[in-house]
Amino acid sequence: MPALITWWTLDVRSLAPAAHNDTVTAVGSSLLARWTEPTRRYHTTTHLVEMFWALEDLELAGAVDDRGGTLGRVAAWFHDAVYDPQAVPGANEAASADLARESLRQLGFDDDDRQTVAALVEMTAGHDLDGDEPVGAAFHDADLWVLSAPEERFDEYCAQVREEYAHVDEDAYRAGRAAILEPLLHRDRIYRTTAALREWEAAARVNLGRELARLR
């Protein structure tokens, strides 16, 4: 956990060098508390770190530059900061984006960066992305990296999501989950960056096919 706060602090300092130390620490600690809520199973710091790793891989592959990768990591902190499995569709993402706007205002981020981060967070509501703008494409792909994970990790992810929706009966869960995953499988491409398309696409399609077969 201290390493995550260190990473957060370095990224904030890179984008908002005048941010007050106490504010940086307070916002980071509040975000970490959200990511470690005891009711979470998949949307935990493990998912957050996996996004960081995926963004790093995409940066090394040239899909996004250093500043874009930093913006992506800051957006990752906020993208599931508000997470209530019983909320209506889109509500968590909207609330998380609002939290990002206010928190980044307190930290002294410029308006363009605030809006970029908020837009990235809102995009995760449906993972609908128009165009291939580097930061947006890399963030989109990093959030969906888990679809391409090794079989054991992907199956663990599926079980964790089911635990988060334990309040939903089995038939309703199967139908609802399939309705989310099937459109991803039928897209011409799941991933937006060339690097992710090359390295992750095939595995993601195999994993999605397996999970949809189980859900049916």
Side-chain angles (χ1 to χ4, degrees):
M1 297 308 178
L4 280 175
I5 292 297
T6 298
W7 206 338
W8 158 260
T9 302
L10 291 172
D11 285 340
V12 170
R13 285 275 167 246
S14 173
L15 297 170
H20 193 282
N21 288 338
D22 290 347
T23 307
V24 176
T25 300
V27 173
S29 298
S30 176
L31 287 168
L32 186 58
R34 290 174 178 276
W35 280 93
T36 54
E37 291 166 342
T39 55
R40 296 181 182 228
R41 294 297 181 268
Y42 169 64
H43 295 86
T44 66
T45 53
T46 297
H47 170 47
L48 185 61
V49 170
E50 286 173 342
M51 281 195 72
F52 291 169
W53 288 344
L55 284 165
E56 183 177 26
D57 286 347
L58 293 173
E59 189 176 330
L60 289 171
V64 66
D65 63 17
D66 178 71
R67 192 175 194 282
T70 303
L71 274 170
R73 287 192 297 275
V74 170
W77 276 99
F78 286 100
H79 85 293
D80 284 320
V82 178
Y83 185 70
D84 175 7
Q86 299 192 51
V88 299
N92 288 327
E93 293 82 3
S96 294
D98 287 343
L99 178 66
R101 292 186 185 94
E102 176 57 23
S103 299
L104 298 183
R105 184 194 64 77
Q106 294 174 17
L107 291 164
F109 277 60
D110 67 38
D111 288 345
D112 285 347
D113 285 348
R114 287 173 60 213
Q115 288 307 116
T116 294
V117 169
L120 292 175
V121 173
E122 290 170 336
M123 178 269 294
T124 62
H127 286 96
D128 296 320
L129 183 68
D130 294 326
D132 295 308
E133 190 274 324
V135 177
F139 183 80
H140 169 277
D141 290 359
D143 192 30
L144 295 182
W145 168 84
V146 72
L147 301 181
S148 72
E151 184 174 316
E152 182 178 359
R153 172 59 183 134
F154 177 81
D155 289 348
E156 178 185 49
Y157 147 72
C158 293
Q160 290 168 337
V161 172
R162 181 65 182 104
E163 287 181 51
E164 289 182 337
Y165 285 85
H167 60 281
V168 179
D169 71 58
E170 187 66 18
D171 288 345
Y173 177 79
R174 287 173 180 268
R177 186 66 175 154
I180 292 171
L181 298 182
E182 193 155 17
L184 288 172
L185 186 60
H186 290 313
R187 289 182 180 182
D188 290 339
R189 51 192 289 183
I190 296 168
Y191 297 109
R192 304 303 304 176
T193 64
T194 300
L197 189 65
R198 180 180 64 246
E199 300 294 335
W200 305 343
E201 183 87 7
R205 290 189 176 278
V206 170
N207 281 333
L208 284 171
R210 289 194 305 110
E211 177 62 356
L212 285 165
R214 287 191 293 245
L215 291 169
R216 292 177 184 130

